[in-house]
Amino acid sequence: MSFTKGPIITLTYDQVEQLTEQLSQDEQFKLADKLSKKLARKRLLDLMDSMRPQKPVSEKEILKASREARKNVQARRRNEASAGRS
């Protein structure tokens, strides 16, 4: 028998809820704040993972996209300038 990870205790949601009700109000607020921060961090990491590209983007692709974006901006400015002159 190996206890390198330590004993495992399993609790149901109701048991955890009953234990938290035994805490003082200040301790309950501290616990709620800690859980809220952990949840916010997890959501942020999930959001960042969802925005991360599945494959690495090469420098060539970045330069191509930036050139295209600059062309679009310049074309829009020319169109706005010509519309303003009429």
Side-chain angles (χ1 to χ4, degrees):
M1 214 189 249
S2 175
F3 287 103
T4 56
K5 293 184 180 180
I8 298 173
I9 300 173
T10 56
L11 298 171
T12 65
Y13 178 84
D14 292 334
Q15 290 171 323
V16 173
E17 189 175 17
Q18 288 173 355
L19 287 172
T20 56
E21 288 173 359
Q22 294 175 16
L23 296 173
S24 70
Q25 191 173 17
D26 287 342
E27 290 173 326
Q28 288 178 3
F29 283 130
K30 286 179 186 177
L31 179 61
D33 188 46
K34 188 173 185 175
L35 291 173
S36 177
K37 286 179 182 178
K38 281 189 174 191
L39 179 61
R41 179 172 170 73
K42 181 175 178 0
R43 286 182 176 169
L44 176 63
L45 292 174
D46 289 346
L47 178 62
M48 290 171 61
D49 285 343
S50 70
M51 293 187 322
R52 184 173 292 130
Q54 298 302 318
K55 64 176 185 158
V57 181
S58 70
E59 184 178 351
K60 186 178 179 180
E61 292 173 303
I62 293 171
L63 290 173
K64 182 179 176 183
S66 64
R67 283 189 202 109
E68 188 66 32
R70 275 192 227 111
K71 284 181 186 178
N72 291 339
V73 169
Q74 290 171 353
R76 188 182 74 225
R77 286 184 181 163
R78 281 194 300 269
N79 288 341
E80 289 173 357
S82 66
R85 291 183 188 167
S86 335

